[in-house]
Amino acid sequence: AAVGDVQFRWDAESARDGDTLVTAVATFTIPTMGEYRIVARYVDENRVAQYAAVVVGRTEAQWRRRPLVDWRPVQALEVVGQDYAAGEQVTLRWVSPFPAAQVLVQWGGGYTAPRHVLLPLTQGPNLLNFTLGSECLRGCDAVASVVTPAQTPVALPVPVSQMLDTTLPQHIDLGAVAIPVAVPKRTVPVAVQVPAEVAPGATADIALTLPLEDGAQGEVAVWVVDKALLDLQPNPLPTTLKVQQLPSVHSDLSGQSTYDQLTSAETLRKALNLTR
């Protein structure tokens, strides 16, 4: 870091497929304007280290060339955790720059009607919690929109554009995030009983047992093939579940606002004074 070094330690675990999952999130504040390098170091059980780095922040000269012009968030909306299931509580995370605000979260859609919840926000990190239902059985998207009332003037630590009135009510579209849902594997137990031998031209009875839930209906297809043909050229049964499995559903929810097209009289006055 340009001013001081800040270190965090995460405990990580390996998933079954070998991917590494970070199980903790750290929040820190940039002390002054400047470019900072965030370096991550991961050491596995064999003491093999891997590194990743990202640059955050801007210098004062960069801020003066490109001052703050709107409240669009640098911090993206993110999902905390993975592999949710119906009936569980989902947690989203977002850092709010406003002392007081509200966020409207909508999720679901696709095969069912979407649901929504209105939650309060405080300045700083916020955890947005809601419970999944049948509207997100196979995965869905969540969209969030932030609204704020009129604010008192805020002293910001970076240069601000003359066109940005920080006292006006705001609307910010945080975009969409995919909610990961663990789809349970479902199998259909089928029992088939056939005679040990059937003479050519004879009639054979096949007993098939297929347990279904109350009111459920189903169809069964039966193939009868001469065993001698299968001995010459084996023909395994197709796995129909892969063909019939429904894909994950992603809704087309989105947020729309005209707030960014509004300008206060005070802001217009400042802009006119600058152009004269």
Side-chain angles (χ1 to χ4, degrees):
V3 180
D5 291 327
V6 182
Q7 294 186 359
F8 301 95
R9 181 180 179 86
W10 288 296
D11 293 326
E13 60 182 10
S14 295
R16 292 181 180 179
D17 58 0
D19 292 337
T20 299
L21 306 178
V22 177
T23 57
V25 176
T27 302
F28 62 93
T29 301
I30 295 177
T32 60
M33 283 186 289
E35 287 187 344
Y36 295 83
R37 290 181 299 275
I38 300 178
V39 180
R41 178 175 179 264
Y42 170 74
V43 181
D44 62 15
E45 63 275 8
N46 298 319
R47 303 195 63 79
V48 176
Q50 300 182 28
Y51 295 85
V54 62
V55 178
V56 298
R58 286 191 280 171
T59 64
E60 182 176 359
Q62 291 172 331
W63 272 112
R64 293 197 178 280
R65 287 195 300 268
R66 295 167 49 204
L68 184 68
V69 295
D70 56 34
W71 284 112
R72 294 175 185 173
V74 177
Q75 170 72 26
L77 185 69
E78 59 183 9
V79 182
V80 179
Q82 63 177 6
D83 291 342
Y84 288 102
E88 292 184 347
Q89 181 175 269
V90 177
T91 300
L92 306 181
R93 184 177 182 274
W94 186 65
V95 180
S96 173
F98 305 109
Q102 289 182 312
V103 59
L104 177 66
V105 182
Q106 300 182 79
W107 71 95
Y111 298 135
T112 59
R115 297 178 58 188
H116 66 273
V117 63
L118 185 64
L119 301 171
L121 290 174
T122 58
Q123 193 170 28
N126 289 266
L127 297 180
L128 315 177
N129 301 313
F130 56 90
T131 302
L132 288 184
S134 59
E135 74 285 342
C136 198
L137 289 178
R138 305 194 62 83
C140 60
D141 291 343
V143 298
S145 298
V146 174
V147 291
T148 70
Q151 306 281 336
T152 56
V154 179
L156 297 175
V158 297
V160 179
S161 169
Q162 294 288 341
M163 296 297 292
L164 177 61
D165 190 342
T166 59
T167 64
L168 290 179
Q170 301 291 330
H171 174 278
I172 300 176
D173 180 14
L174 301 186
V177 292
I179 301 176
V181 173
V183 180
K185 294 182 179 180
R186 302 183 64 183
T187 59
V188 180
V190 180
V192 181
Q193 294 180 344
V194 297
E197 294 182 359
V198 180
T203 301
D205 293 329
I206 300 176
L208 187 145
T209 304
L210 177 61
L212 296 175
E213 299 178 357
D214 294 339
Q217 298 180 356
E219 296 181 355
V220 176
V222 179
W223 286 270
V224 180
V225 183
D226 192 335
K227 183 176 181 301
L229 295 177
L230 296 180
D231 290 339
L232 293 175
Q233 184 176 357
N235 186 17
L237 293 177
T239 305
T240 56
L241 288 179
K242 293 183 179 179
V243 179
Q244 297 174 350
Q245 186 176 9
L246 292 174
S248 298
V249 178
H250 295 284
S251 59
D252 55 355
L253 298 174
S254 62
Q256 301 292 332
S257 172
T258 58
Y259 269 81
D260 55 355
Q261 302 174 16
L262 302 178
T263 303
S264 67
E266 178 64 17
T267 301
L268 287 176
R269 184 187 63 78
K270 292 181 179 179
L272 290 174
N273 291 335
L274 289 175
T275 58
R276 290 175 180 174

